[in-house]
Amino acid sequence: MDIIWRNNSSDDVYEEARLARVFTARHPDHHPTAIVRAKSESDVVEAVRLAQNLNLQVNVRSGGHSYPGWSLSDNSILIDVGDYREIKVDVAKKEAWISSGMKSDIDMELMKEYGLILGAGHHPGVGIGGYLLQGGLSWNCRGWGWTCERVKALDVVTADGRLVRCSSDEHSDLFWAARGLDLVDFPGVVTQFQVQLLPAPKAFITSGYTFPKAQILDAFNWVLGLIPAFDEDTEISAVCKFPDGIDEICLTVSFITMKDSAEAAWNVLQPAHLTRPKGAILEWFFREDSFEKEYANEVSAFPGGRRWLADNAFLNNEADVAAFLEELCMSITDKHFALLWYPLAPQSLRPLPDMAFSLRSDHYIGTYALYESEDDDEKCQSWMQATAAKLEPFRTGSFSGETDFRVREVKCWGDDQFAKLTEIRQRWDPDGRICGPLQ
Ligand SMILES: Cc1cc2nc3c(=O)[nH]c(=O)nc-3n(C[C@H](O)[C@H](O)[C@H](O)COP(=O)(O)OP(=O)(O)OC[C@H]3O[C@@H](n4cnc5c(N)ncnc54)[C@H](O)[C@@H]3O)c2cc1C
C-alpha cells in the first residue's frame, strides 16, 4: 500500500499528496496524519483497518472537486482513490461497474468505446465518487434525471473495514443512503458503482445567445415560455456574468441538443432561434458540439488554481422566476461573480425513486465567486452571503454538491429522509470513523 506519513515524509512529497487534484486554491488548513494512494479495493480495506487500529478518522478523495475541499481533515487517514481507475462495461445490458476514482470525462471514453454514456458531471475533473454520492446534476438533468437515479448497486468498505455489496436486495439501507447522502458523511468508502448507461447521442449540437444587461428580463421570459413544450434531450442553461472584454453583465442562454440525428436537432433548435429576442450581442446557431468541446468550455469557465466559493438554491416554483432572476443578475457588480440558472423541468415533475436525494424544484440556481487573491475573500464572501439572503424566502432546498455546510445551515433533504440518514449513519458508523463536513 502506497502510504505517505506526515511526520515521515519530505514537505514536498506530503504537500503534493495532500493537495493532489484539490480544485480550490482556498486550501483548508487541515493535515491528515497519513495519505494512502489506493490502487485497489484491498488497499481501501487495509487503509480503513489501519485507521481503526490507530484510532484515526477516515476521509476520502475521489476527484478533489468539492468546492470547500472537504477531503482534508486533521487526525485522519486520507484515502485518495484517484489512482483506482477501473471500468467494466456490459454493452448488451448497457450497464457498467465504475470505480470511484474515475472522473466525469468518463463520458468521452464511454461514448467512443461503447456508444454509451453515463451522464456524469459537466466538469471533466469531477470525481465519480463524490459526484454520484451527492446526486449528480448530470448533462441534460432536466431530461435524463439525476445520475444517482441510474445507480444499481455499489461496493462499500464500511467503517469497520468490511467490503460489502449494496443494492435493493443487500444492505438496502446503505444503497438508499448512497444515492444522495454524501456531504453529510456517507458511512463508508465507496470503491465502485454499478450504473445504468444511456445510449450516446449521434448528434450533439448547440445554440447560444448572449444578451446585454438591458435584455436580461426579456431573455428569461423567452426561455421560460419555451420550457414546457421543449425537447427533453436538450440541456438548457443561462449564465450571467461580466464576459471577458465587456464592461457590463450579460446573460448567455445555451441549448445543448443531444439527438439521434442532425435533422432532429435542427427541428428542436430552429423554433427557439426564430423566437429569440432581437439584440443579442453574440449568438451561434446549430453549431456542432462534442463532450471534448464542452469540457474545454467548462475548464475555461471554471479554471483550477483559483479561490472558489459556491452556493445554490432550488427556487420555489411559485416565485416570479424571471423577475427574481433578473434582480439576482443585477446584484452582480463585479467580474468575480457569476450566476447559473439551470431549469430542471420536466424531470422535476416526475417522481423520484425512494432514495436519500429528495429535494429539488423546477429551477436550480448556482452562485459562484472565483478570484485569485486572499485580499478578495471578504468581498466575495459578502456577495455570496447577500445573494443567499435574497434567495432565502424563495428557497425550497439546496443541492449538497455545491454547498458549504460550514458557512450556513442548509436543508438538502426532506425531514423524513434526514432522520433516516442520521439513523443509517449511526448504525453503520457509531464511532464517527468516516469524517465529512459535519464532523
Ligand atoms: C468545477 C466544478 C464543476 C462541477 N460540476 C458539477 C456538475 O456538473 N454536476 C454536479 O452534480 N456537481 C458538480 N460539481 C460538484 C461536485 O460534483 C461535488 O463537489 C462532488 O462532491 C465532487 O466529487 P469529487 O469526488 O471530485 O470530490 P472530493 O473532493 O474528492 O470528495 C468530496 C467528499 O466526498 C466524499 N467522497 C468522495 N469520494 C468518496 C468515496 N469514494 N466514498 C465515500 N465518500 C466519498 C468525501 O466526504 C469527500 O470528502 C462541480 C464541482 C466543481 C468544482
Side-chain angles (χ1 to χ4, degrees):
M1 185 168 68
D2 178 8
I3 183 161
I4 293 153
W5 294 94
R6 185 181 182 193
N7 64 3
N8 201 7
S9 312
S10 74
D11 287 354
D12 289 355
V13 169
Y14 175 80
E15 277 302 277
E16 196 196 327
R18 184 176 83 92
L19 299 175
R21 305 187 312 291
V22 169
F23 181 73
T24 180
R26 288 175 75 231
H27 298 145
D29 187 21
H30 294 309
H31 295 80
T33 308
I35 300 159
V36 170
R37 292 191 285 216
K39 295 179 180 63
S40 64
E41 279 185 335
S42 58
D43 280 353
V44 177
V45 171
E46 203 182 325
V48 172
R49 289 186 182 161
L50 179 67
Q52 213 180 6
N53 291 338
L54 298 176
N55 198 22
L56 293 168
Q57 285 195 299
V58 167
N59 206 334
V60 194
R61 178 177 303 152
S62 289
H65 273 53
S66 123
Y67 281 101
W70 292 139
S71 58
L72 286 169
S73 44
D74 298 321
N75 303 316
S76 65
I77 292 190
L78 166 61
I79 304 179
D80 185 335
V81 296
D83 289 337
Y84 176 36
R85 298 170 60 77
E86 276 183 17
I87 167 165
K88 284 169 243 133
V89 180
D90 182 329
V91 176
K93 290 187 175 161
K94 298 194 178 63
E95 287 174 6
W97 278 98
I98 299 177
S99 65
S100 48
M102 298 297 290
K103 295 182 290 163
S104 288
D105 59 7
I106 191 176
D107 272 325
M108 220 157 54
E109 185 180 334
L110 286 168
M111 186 161 170
K112 275 192 194 135
E113 300 283 323
Y114 306 102
L116 297 166
I117 55 168
L118 168 62
H122 293 72
H123 193 284
V126 167
I128 289 298
Y131 173 79
L132 283 180
L133 283 170
Q134 41 84 12
L137 185 71
S138 118
W139 288 98
N140 187 31
C141 195
R142 65 176 282 275
W144 300 344
W146 296 84
T147 315
C148 67
E149 297 180 65
R150 299 193 286 280
V151 171
K152 303 186 72 168
L154 56 147
D155 286 346
V156 175
V157 179
T158 57
D160 56 2
R162 285 177 299 137
L163 179 62
V164 298
R165 177 144 300 175
C166 311
S167 68
S168 52
D169 300 325
E170 301 167 270
H171 306 303
S172 57
D173 54 349
L174 275 184
F175 177 60
W176 181 91
R179 289 167 301 149
L181 165 64
D182 184 40
L183 306 192
V184 201
D185 317 340
F186 182 72
V189 183
V190 182
T191 55
Q192 54 174 347
F193 299 83
Q194 187 188 32
V195 289
Q196 185 69 56
L197 301 173
L198 304 168
K202 297 196 174 61
F204 199 130
I205 315 267
T206 62
S207 291
Y209 307 89
T210 297
F211 295 100
K213 186 175 179 182
Q215 281 190 294
I216 287 179
L217 184 62
D218 286 350
F220 279 128
N221 277 322
W222 164 60
V223 188
L224 280 161
L226 294 175
I227 286 173
F230 212 80
D231 172 67
E232 294 189 15
D233 294 321
T234 299
E235 167 167 302
I236 302 174
S237 64
V239 172
C240 184
K241 62 177 189 176
F242 283 81
D244 287 343
I246 298 185
D247 224 14
E248 66 168 28
I249 53 164
C250 294
L251 185 79
T252 299
V253 177
S254 311
F255 302 84
I256 303 181
T257 295
M258 293 172 269
K259 301 295 282 181
D260 272 349
S261 67
E263 189 188 357
W266 174 273
N267 291 337
V268 169
L269 291 171
Q270 208 215 14
H273 188 65
L274 294 177
T275 57
R276 72 202 186 282
K278 299 289 171 277
I281 54 177
L282 175 71
E283 58 180 45
W284 61 97
F285 169 61
F286 203 72
R287 183 189 283 172
E288 218 171 286
D289 201 2
S290 62
F291 279 120
E292 285 89 333
K293 288 181 191 160
E294 283 301 322
Y295 291 144
N297 292 344
E298 194 78 7
V299 168
S300 93
F302 289 79
R306 306 285 165 88
R307 300 172 83 77
W308 278 95
L309 303 172
D311 200 356
N312 70 88
F314 292 117
L315 191 68
N316 186 334
N317 294 340
E318 309 310 317
D320 181 347
V321 177
F324 183 61
L325 287 170
E326 189 206 25
E327 184 191 330
L328 283 181
C329 291
M330 294 304 152
S331 78
I332 299 178
T333 49
D334 194 295
K335 66 178 168 45
H336 296 119
F337 309 143
L339 179 130
L340 162 75
W341 170 60
Y342 193 76
L344 290 167
Q347 188 283 333
S348 50
L349 308 170
R350 297 180 205 135
L352 284 171
D354 183 19
M355 58 183 181
F357 186 88
S358 41
L359 289 187
R360 63 203 167 140
S361 77
D362 294 350
H363 307 280
Y364 179 74
I365 297 180
T367 54
Y368 307 92
L370 113 155
Y371 53 104
E372 280 167 37
S373 164
E374 216 174 316
D375 298 343
D376 287 324
D377 274 344
E378 205 178 310
K379 176 185 75 177
C380 292
Q381 280 158 355
S382 300
W383 182 77
M384 295 296 287
Q385 279 160 16
T387 312
K390 284 197 181 88
L391 280 161
E392 206 49 50
F394 303 101
R395 185 195 299 275
T396 58
S398 293
F399 172 50
S400 73
E402 299 201 333
T403 289
D404 190 342
F405 293 92
R406 290 177 190 151
V407 171
R408 60 188 182 83
E409 265 191 35
V410 184
K411 187 174 164 95
C412 295
W413 301 270
D415 293 338
D416 292 349
Q417 285 83 4
F418 190 69
K420 186 167 168 179
L421 288 171
T422 311
E423 188 220 311
I424 292 171
R425 183 171 165 78
Q426 182 60 26
R427 187 180 316 139
W428 283 92
D429 187 14
D431 302 327
R433 174 83 50 217
I434 314 287
C435 55
L438 300 185
Q439 297 285 306

